[in-house]
Amino acid sequence: MADDILTRLPSHLVAEAKSLDAADPLAAYREQFVLPEGVVAYLDGNSLGRPLAATRNRLPQFVDDEWGERLIRAWDESWMELPLQLGDRIGRVALDAAPGQTTVADSTTVLLYKLTRAAVAARPGRSRIVADTENFPTDRYIVQGVAAELGMTIDWIEPDPSTGVTVTDVREKVSADTALVLLSHVAYKSAHIADLAGITAVVHDAGALVLWDLCHSVGLVPVGLDAAGVDLAVGCTYKYLNGGPGAPAFAYVAKDLQDSLVQPITGWMGHAEPFTMGPAYLPAEGMRRFISGTPPILGMLPMQDMLDLVEEAGVEAIREKSIRLTEFVADVADAALAPLGVTVASPREPQVRGGHVTLEHDAMQAAIARLWQRGVIPDFRRPRGLRAGLSPLSTSFVEVATALAHLHEILNEHEG
Ligand SMILES: *Cc1c(COP(=O)(O)O)cnc(C)c1O
């Protein structure tokens, strides 16, 4: 059945998919995910990672043992520390960050607000924020909201579609009046990887702070936060960390900055002594001050199963497979889909390409609706993009070939 559809692709590419799977040192991880038969191919692991089979056990166990049995005692026994412990683990496994600089807390959106607001307050007298027009909507909206709240000006970078945001773009925008630069490490549409270390250095030369959005890099691309001297970062856990829908995000704040930043949602859980319930807010030392209210413990469960895998496999090896996967998509697109009018709208150079490849075609929106009916699930990006997000530990090369063979069949019918 699956092999039938594969005959739509040149046979050397099908053979290549099979031999890439056979030679893939990470291939066995795929079996650890929940793989229902109705899902023929999943190319959206960068929007919502698949669940792990281990999560099936973790959730009911939590209900019985921790919540059911320990009840409120579990706050003292483990839950109070969980956001910081899990943050440290994400830092160690995926961010190259020393302990004490990362916490799991709210959604990415809320954390972007908290860190943006705290950062501009830490640069009094500076009235400008640099951001880019190609960033994810929430990132742009948060910057707009903070700028409106404080009467600040936004200097928008309009990145060249063929390069993404560059060091030069940032150098041209920053000045002695820049408080903060907010950018994504991996661009959510094009998949361009920004030069995180180079841009961070340019921002620092101007005396500003940098806030990196790592949603499309955490668990996929080595990030090197400490080595690059990054000030602030946030990232999702439901994408390549498979934390499940609405899993809480993480925030990273460099050690030497923490005690000089005050975030704006000054809730009791970020207080130096939450249980004294005193009259006035006094921020905790260290990362706890970036927590606001009661942490979403339930949402922190599934990501722990994925972190086990990422830790075991290692981000370097995951990145290597990711490059092979995206390279394979580009190869199939060039050989089999280009004749049908499909173009590749992601970087050709693997070193600057993240974990997804965007393919464009005028009939893509309708084609994707039909792919979904067949259990082939990529993402649609307006106006004409199919975003193939390839989560390395849960995606096989034959799965990718199968998805693109279905796309070929559908676009071919459309042509005919
Ligand atoms: C996915 C994503 C988000 C999502 O933010 P939420 O608060 O989880 O909805 C934000 N920024 C970027 C760059 C993303 O890719």
Side-chain angles (χ1 to χ4, degrees):
M1 177 66 182
D3 272 1
D4 283 350
I5 190 79
L6 286 173
T7 59
R8 300 210 62 95
L9 300 182
S11 59
H12 76 275
L13 288 173
V14 177
E16 191 186 331
K18 289 177 180 171
S19 67
L20 283 166
D21 277 332
D24 173 12
L26 306 182
Y29 284 108
R30 189 168 188 274
E31 293 304 313
Q32 297 194 39
F33 292 84
V34 176
L35 301 170
E37 279 185 6
V39 179
V40 172
Y42 189 53
L43 305 188
D44 225 343
N46 61 338
S47 267
L48 179 69
R50 288 186 189 255
L52 279 151
T55 303
R56 277 194 192 123
N57 301 328
R58 184 185 289 274
L59 296 177
Q61 227 167 42
F62 177 86
V63 173
D64 285 331
D65 300 345
E66 275 190 64
W67 183 8
E69 165 82 26
R70 301 314 300 160
L71 289 163
I72 194 124
R73 295 172 290 184
W75 279 112
D76 290 335
E77 291 163 359
S78 61
W79 298 340
M80 280 301 283
E81 292 308 317
L82 185 62
L84 299 165
Q85 274 171 2
L86 202 48
D88 280 347
R89 183 146 193 244
I90 293 169
R92 176 167 50 82
V93 169
L95 307 177
D96 313 295
Q101 303 179 102
T102 312
T103 187
V104 174
D106 317 282
S107 68
T108 295
T109 299
V110 172
L111 287 175
L112 279 169
Y113 173 70
K114 286 160 73 168
L115 295 192
T116 296
R117 188 66 184 76
V120 299
R123 286 291 179 274
R126 292 178 175 236
S127 63
R128 308 184 84 91
I129 303 175
V130 174
D132 77 286
T133 54
E134 288 298 295
N135 209 342
F136 190 81
T138 225
D139 301 62
R140 290 181 279 113
Y141 302 160
I142 290 293
V143 166
Q144 288 167 353
V146 170
E149 179 190 346
L150 300 176
M152 298 180 78
T153 303
I154 306 170
D155 292 309
W156 290 106
I157 294 169
E158 291 181 40
D160 181 332
S162 68
T163 62
V165 177
T166 64
V167 172
T168 309
D169 290 336
V170 176
R171 192 179 286 120
E172 283 171 358
K173 294 289 181 194
V174 291
S175 72
D177 211 13
T178 306
L180 177 72
V181 177
L182 165 64
L183 298 169
S184 278
H185 183 209
V186 174
Y188 82 107
K189 272 194 285 190
S190 68
H192 274 290
I193 301 182
D195 178 356
L196 179 138
I199 289 174
T200 297
V202 166
V203 173
H204 288 170
D205 284 347
L209 295 168
V210 70
L211 168 51
W212 284 102
D213 187 323
L214 306 176
C215 282
H216 283 275
S217 38
V218 62
L220 180 83
V221 181
V223 178
L225 288 186
D226 283 357
V230 166
D231 304 303
L232 307 159
V234 297
C236 286
T237 63
Y238 54 77
K239 293 173 177 168
Y240 294 104
L241 293 182
N242 302 56
F250 63 86
Y252 164 97
V253 180
K255 191 118 222 162
D256 58 352
L257 263 182
Q258 289 167 12
D259 291 339
S260 64
L261 292 191
V262 181
Q263 57 93 356
I265 305 178
T266 50
W268 73 299
M269 278 285 177
H271 193 279
E273 294 179 45
F275 296 103
T276 59
M277 311 215 162
Y281 180 73
L282 175 68
E285 286 186 8
M287 284 310 289
R288 186 174 293 285
R289 69 172 52 192
F290 298 95
I291 295 172
S292 294
T294 303
I297 300 297
L298 279 172
M300 297 182 200
L301 301 177
M303 73 177 86
Q304 297 180 46
D305 294 318
M306 187 61 173
L307 284 165
D308 289 345
L309 263 57
V310 173
E311 180 161 26
E312 193 181 288
V315 173
E316 297 286 343
I318 290 172
R319 172 68 177 146
E320 267 181 48
K321 179 172 178 185
S322 168
I323 288 174
R324 293 213 173 84
L325 283 163
T326 53
E327 202 69 7
F328 183 67
V329 170
D331 288 349
V332 174
D334 289 341
L337 300 171
L340 299 174
V342 171
T343 54
V344 175
S346 293
R348 289 290 182 167
E349 181 58 47
Q351 264 51 55
V352 294
R353 185 176 62 223
H356 59 275
V357 179
T358 299
L359 303 177
E360 294 190 332
H361 189 282
D362 284 339
M364 204 57 103
Q365 183 163 19
I368 289 173
R370 295 191 53 200
L371 285 171
W372 279 43
Q373 285 165 1
R374 296 179 180 203
V376 175
I377 310 177
D379 210 15
F380 175 61
R381 278 289 168 255
R382 263 166 224 295
R384 58 198 295 272
L386 177 154
R387 195 177 66 164
L390 313 164
S391 190
L393 296 183
S394 63
T395 308
S396 73
F397 290 89
V398 167
E399 184 180 3
V400 174
T402 304
L404 297 178
H406 279 281
L407 178 64
H408 184 279
E409 185 171 79
I410 288 166
L411 289 177
N412 195 54
E413 283 168 15
H414 171 82
E415 291 281 295

